[in-house]
Amino acid sequence: MRGIFLSIILITLFISACLLAGCGKKGDPLPPVGNEPKPPINLKYSLDRDNSTVRLSWKIFTRNDTKNSTSDTIKNQNTDIKGTELFRAALRLSDNGCKNCPLQFERVAYIPYPLSEYSYSIERGFIYFYKVRSYTESNISSPFSETVEFEFK
């Protein structure tokens, strides 16, 4: 009887230890510091009002880029840039909604490297916001570029 009681106590302690220890997952895995690509820079737009399109362009950094960067930064660059993701948010001009509310960006395109421009059809009556980020063959994304904003009336 004493052996059964001791076995029940040991099994209870083992199960409790397993449940309290958890799985160890603290969040999504992150790439090692220094392996993420640099964000694209010089995001610019031009409007073709007649055709209701916006043309976006930007600069992508790779390991071979030496302008505006130090050699230490370049050594840490992930060199396998696969492309750029384009994100957009839009607010209706007619809505006097929350001007300080966070924008809801959605991915609208994947642009393969080495392309660094994209044309996109837009509707009148909106304020548009665009930003881009590059990503690697290993699916490591850069931080976002600066955001461009414009009204299309």
Side-chain angles (χ1 to χ4, degrees), residues 43 45 47 52-56 58 84-92 102-111 118-133 144-152:
L43 178 60
Y45 71 92
L47 292 174
S52 296
T53 58
V54 60
R55 182 180 165 273
L56 299 151
W58 55 90
T84 305
E85 297 174 285
L86 174 65
F87 292 82
R88 181 192 76 176
L91 298 174
R92 285 197 178 278
L103 296 170
Q104 298 296 315
F105 281 90
E106 63 182 52
R107 183 182 307 117
V108 294
Y110 288 100
I111 300 93
Y118 189 77
S119 292
Y120 192 78
S121 296
I122 55 176
E123 292 180 48
R124 294 185 184 280
F126 286 89
I127 302 171
Y128 288 99
F129 304 84
Y130 287 93
K131 61 184 177 179
V132 293
R133 69 179 176 193
F144 283 105
S145 67
E146 67 275 10
T147 301
V148 295
E149 170 187 347
F150 61 89
E151 290 184 10
F152 190 55

Side-chain angles (χ1 to χ4, degrees), residues 9-122:
I9 290 176
L10 289 175
I11 290 172
T12 304
L13 287 173
F14 177 75
I15 292 172
S16 297
C18 289
L19 292 175
L20 292 175
C23 66
K25 183 178 177 184
K26 306 277 190 270
D28 291 333
L30 298 173
V33 175
N35 282 351
E36 69 183 18
K38 291 178 78 171
I41 61 168
N42 297 334
L43 178 60
K44 298 177 183 174
Y45 71 92
S46 60
L47 292 174
D48 180 349
R49 294 187 182 280
D50 295 334
N51 294 322
S52 296
T53 58
V54 60
R55 182 180 165 273
L56 299 151
S57 63
W58 55 90
K59 166 96 171 103
I60 300 172
F61 278 100
T62 64
R63 182 170 64 169
N64 297 327
D65 291 326
T66 56
K67 292 182 180 177
N68 303 323
S69 186
T70 66
S71 59
D72 290 340
T73 303
I74 294 167
K75 286 179 194 170
N76 290 332
Q77 279 296 339
N78 199 331
T79 61
D80 58 347
I81 298 292
K82 185 175 181 181
T84 305
E85 297 174 285
L86 174 65
F87 292 82
R88 181 192 76 176
L91 298 174
R92 285 197 178 278
L93 286 171
S94 61
D95 293 344
N96 289 329
C98 179
K99 302 259 186 221
N100 296 323
C101 290
L103 296 170
Q104 298 296 315
F105 281 90
E106 63 182 52
R107 183 182 307 117
V108 294
Y110 288 100
I111 300 93
Y113 181 76
L115 298 177
S116 59
E117 63 179 55
Y118 189 77
S119 292
Y120 192 78
S121 296
I122 55 176

